[in-house]
Amino acid sequence: MSVWRSFANKSYQQNSAIFFLFFSAWSIWYVFFQIWLTDPSGLNLSGSRVGTIFSLNSLATLSLMLAYGIIQDRIGMKRHLALFATILASLVGPFFIWVYRPLLQANFLVGAIIGALFLAAGFNSAGALFETISERYSRYYNFEYGQSRMWGSVGYAVLAIVGGVLYPFDPRLNFWVSSAFGLATLLIQVFWKNPPLPKGGAQPTESAHPSSRDILRCFKKKSLWAIMAFVMLTWTFYTVLDAQLYPDFYTTLFADKEVGRRVFGIVCAGQTFVEAATLGVVPWVMRKIGVRSTILIGALLLFVRYAAYAMFTSVVVITCFRLLWAIELPFLLLPIFRYITLHFPTRLSATLYMVGFQIAAQLGVVIYSPFIGIIKDRIGYQPTFGIVVGAVAVGVGFGALFLLRDNEKVEGVEFYRDSDLSELVDKVLRSSAAGGGGRKLRYRAKRASAITQKSKAQASNMRRLRTFGIRRLIPSNSLRKVRTLPSRMSPGRVIKKMGAPKGGASESSSGHIDGGGIYQNGITSVESSKNAIVANVNAGANPGGTSKGNANPSAAKRKWPSSNQNQ
């Protein structure tokens, strides 16, 4: 979908504004949270106590995420849970200054438990909640989820810069600004009403009260446990090390820690801007190489970054490798979300995203955080990074062996690469040639098949082939647009260009894609059109819906555009 068309979508505007404000409220204090815990100007806690805090935070997040996911799947499109979380987010300033800090100083364990519950409900679990809600809205209102989620990264980056400026003056300023952005997020949700569903679009029926039996049935699947184990061996360390160790490790590389903190804030902001740009690129990468391959690339980037942390001490080198964080996060976040909607029922997407990704990561944090803190206190930062590198290597190997391929055990929305689409179009052409439908149709199918086999590398012939395949998938009155398309445009993008901008795609009795826009969510594209190709192949791809051997070719000619129309 065009970026400019997304900007005109009212639901896209609403979800993007919520992402920007909420992640801004989260960024300005969370980026400096570990520094605030360990710095003399903050609480001056030891590494083991910091590990205890992060472990309790993750345990509370784990518990609330499961509840958030189940409840959100039951209430569907409603934002009641999001409103509750945003109210807590708007109170983060008073909580940190007047409740959390005094409790940690007076009774560490009680303060850590209360803080874990508050932060999990208002931020750590709420972030995943906002993502699942927005992904669902993207399917109903036909906008790109990745483009909407990008604004969360932009907000995170901007407020990381602001936080780096404010923190040296007074850390309390960061918490008060966070409350202001939390309040703005709350007002957006209360006063910005949801636009009506587009006519002909998907209706919110998939999330209608999934039963407990449906949820328990998913837990019996080995594929769910496989993705959870993969997340615990890879993404979990991103959560542990980047929040618990890296901020203080980075500032120790500078002679003056105050300068280190300011540079750290700037680097965090820069990498988050790169992350926002990468979020828009990852859907294209997935269409080229597939969901599973994209996930594995993200895990490899994680391995390379931690290996650099273990080997180098140069500020410049560490900063350069830190920027890999901005690439690996989208390469893991979006593909794992798409992996879940591909291999599991979409009406359980919120629950399974919470369980398969977020809860698995938080469970790993609960297990690893105390040990990471103790190991760091005993042997230092870089040897600790070295131990983690070995664990991530095991995770990459595990994913290569046990993650499902894109065409295995598909229970959700099917995913096709652009190369798969080309193969399907070729099957349609060959089936049409075998099934009859008139002399002109057989001649053109034979001609297109020859183009595929002999001249596939030539851009002009690829354009002719794609045009031929697409004219059986779209209304004939849209065929004139084909002449204006670039010669090297991928099949997926050509079909997207052909779809009308409003309404939902529907397949008419003639096999055309009538009326409309094509289902997308920023992670998938042209699914409806590709499914139509599959339907044509399965039905013998005979024009006019005639069965193989039908002796009435004139009916086919009435259903499909004639050769004069197509020219």
Side-chain angles (χ1 to χ4, degrees):
M1 174 180 289
S2 168
V3 175
W4 300 113
R5 187 181 299 174
S6 293
F7 276 114
N9 189 307
K10 299 298 183 182
S11 183
Y12 169 83
Q13 296 171 7
Q14 180 196 44
N15 282 272
S16 298
I18 291 172
F19 270 135
F20 180 87
L21 293 172
F22 177 78
F23 279 89
S24 296
W26 196 355
S27 164
I28 195 167
W29 69 265
Y30 187 73
V31 168
F32 302 93
F33 182 53
Q34 189 263 353
I35 296 176
W36 181 73
L37 291 174
T38 58
D39 194 72
S41 63
L43 292 175
N44 198 24
L45 298 177
S46 64
S48 59
R49 285 203 162 190
V50 171
T52 301
I53 288 176
F54 276 92
S55 181
L56 289 173
N57 287 354
S58 296
L59 185 61
T61 302
L62 186 153
S63 304
L64 282 177
M65 271 188 180
L66 180 59
Y68 274 7
I70 293 174
I71 295 172
Q72 189 60 47
D73 275 332
R74 289 184 176 273
I75 65 178
M77 305 285 287
K78 299 176 182 177
R79 291 187 178 270
H80 299 332
L81 275 180
L83 289 172
F84 167 74
T86 312
I87 290 172
L88 296 180
S90 65
L91 298 174
V92 68
F95 175 78
F96 265 88
I97 296 171
W98 296 325
V99 179
Y100 193 37
R101 177 170 184 161
L103 277 176
L104 287 175
Q105 292 173 333
N107 191 320
F108 174 78
L109 186 60
V110 173
I113 293 173
I114 293 176
L117 293 173
F118 180 91
L119 297 179
F123 290 98
N124 299 337
S125 297
L129 176 67
F130 280 110
E131 288 172 345
T132 58
I133 293 174
S134 179
E135 190 276 336
R136 184 165 287 165
Y137 271 71
S138 71
R139 285 185 271 128
Y140 299 144
Y141 290 95
N142 194 28
F143 65 86
E144 297 254 7
Y145 165 74
Q147 293 176 5
S148 179
R149 174 61 177 80
M150 171 189 70
W151 288 104
S153 299
V154 173
Y156 199 96
V158 172
L159 268 294
I161 297 175
V162 175
V165 175
L166 295 179
Y167 188 89
F169 291 100
D170 189 346
R172 292 176 295 182
L173 294 175
N174 293 57
F175 301 124
W176 285 118
V177 174
S178 176
S179 286
F181 275 89
L183 180 60
T185 310
L186 178 63
L187 295 177
I188 285 286
Q189 294 179 90
V190 171
F191 294 105
W192 192 337
K193 300 301 181 183
N194 295 326
L197 282 172
K199 294 181 180 180
Q203 299 299 318
T205 57
E206 66 176 27
S207 58
H209 305 294
S211 65
S212 301
R213 182 179 298 178
D214 294 331
I215 298 172
L216 292 176
R217 189 180 296 119
C218 289
F219 278 96
K220 296 179 180 179
K221 298 178 180 180
K222 295 180 180 179
S223 55
L224 179 60
W225 293 103
I227 188 65
M228 291 176 66
F230 173 77
V231 169
M232 290 180 66
L233 290 169
T234 53
W235 180 268
T236 291
F237 293 108
Y238 160 83
T239 307
V240 174
L241 299 189
D242 286 80
Q244 186 174 334
L245 295 187
Y246 182 80
D248 193 56
F249 163 71
Y250 188 77
T251 56
T252 59
L253 300 176
F254 292 82
D256 186 351
K257 280 196 171 185
E258 290 298 327
V259 175
R261 293 188 188 101
R262 294 184 182 183
V263 175
F264 175 71
I266 295 172
V267 171
C268 286
Q271 74 187 23
T272 314
F273 280 119
V274 177
E275 173 198 329
T278 309
L279 282 168
V281 176
V282 169
W284 178 85
V285 174
M286 281 193 289
R287 289 195 294 268
K288 297 300 179 184
I289 66 175
V291 175
R292 178 177 176 272
S293 299
T294 309
I295 293 175
L296 294 177
I297 289 176
L300 283 172
L301 292 175
L302 190 72
F303 170 83
V304 171
R305 182 162 65 92
Y306 287 146
Y309 290 172
M311 292 187 295
F312 301 106
T313 57
S314 168
V315 173
V316 176
V317 174
I318 295 297
T319 301
C320 292
F321 276 99
R322 173 66 177 179
L323 294 178
L324 284 179
W325 178 92
I327 302 174
E328 73 198 27
L329 187 145
F331 269 77
L332 286 170
L333 179 66
L334 295 185
I336 287 179
F337 213 140
R338 185 63 184 95
Y339 183 93
I340 291 170
T341 59
L342 172 64
H343 297 291
F344 302 97
T346 54
R347 64 195 183 96
L348 298 173
S349 60
T351 301
L352 295 178
Y353 176 68
M354 298 289 191
V355 173
F357 183 52
Q358 297 291 350
I359 290 181
Q362 296 302 323
L363 180 61
V365 174
V366 171
I367 296 172
Y368 301 144
S369 283
F371 297 103
I372 292 292
I374 294 171
I375 293 171
K376 173 261 173 185
D377 286 342
R378 292 186 178 180
I379 65 176
Y381 286 109
Q382 290 192 298
T384 304
F385 285 124
I387 294 173
V388 172
V389 167
V392 174
V394 173
V396 174
F398 179 89
L401 291 174
F402 295 104
L403 290 184
L404 294 176
R405 299 184 184 276
D406 297 350
N407 58 354
E408 292 180 331
K409 299 181 180 179
V410 175
E411 296 186 29
V413 180
E414 291 183 330
F415 181 87
Y416 295 94
R417 296 174 298 175
D418 284 343
S419 59
D420 297 331
L421 178 61
S422 297
E423 294 175 4
L424 290 171
V425 168
D426 187 55
K427 289 181 181 179
V428 172
L429 302 178
R430 294 178 183 277
S431 299
S432 299
R439 179 183 299 177
K440 292 183 179 179
L441 177 61
R442 288 196 299 271
Y443 169 75
R444 290 168 60 195
K446 183 177 179 181
R447 183 183 177 192
S449 179
I451 291 172
T452 305
Q453 295 174 5
K454 298 180 180 180
S455 306
K456 193 171 182 179
Q458 300 179 19
S460 60
N461 286 340
M462 282 297 293
R463 180 179 177 182
R464 293 162 64 190
L465 169 64
R466 289 164 184 164
T467 302
F468 182 86
I470 290 166
R471 49 176 69 141
R472 279 155 182 74
L473 298 174
I474 61 173
S476 58
N477 59 4
S478 298
L479 290 173
R480 62 181 180 274
K481 298 180 182 179
V482 174
R483 296 189 180 91
T484 65
L485 299 179
S487 60
R488 291 187 177 273
M489 182 173 290
S490 66
R493 285 188 57 78
V494 173
I495 290 183
K496 287 166 63 178
K497 292 287 185 181
M498 292 301 98
K502 296 181 180 180
S506 61
E507 189 175 356
S508 69
S509 59
S510 64
H512 293 240
I513 299 298
D514 291 331
I518 298 165
Y519 162 80
Q520 302 174 57
N521 62 3
I523 305 173
T524 60
S525 64
V526 301
E527 301 290 355
S528 299
S529 299
K530 296 171 182 177
N531 291 338
I533 302 177
V534 177
N536 283 338
V537 173
N538 293 337
N542 293 303
T546 58
S547 61
K548 191 172 182 178
N550 192 335
N552 186 12
S554 61
K557 293 181 180 180
R558 289 194 299 270
K559 293 283 186 178
W560 289 92
S562 66
S563 103
N564 292 333
Q565 286 176 312
N566 290 333
Q567 300 300 327

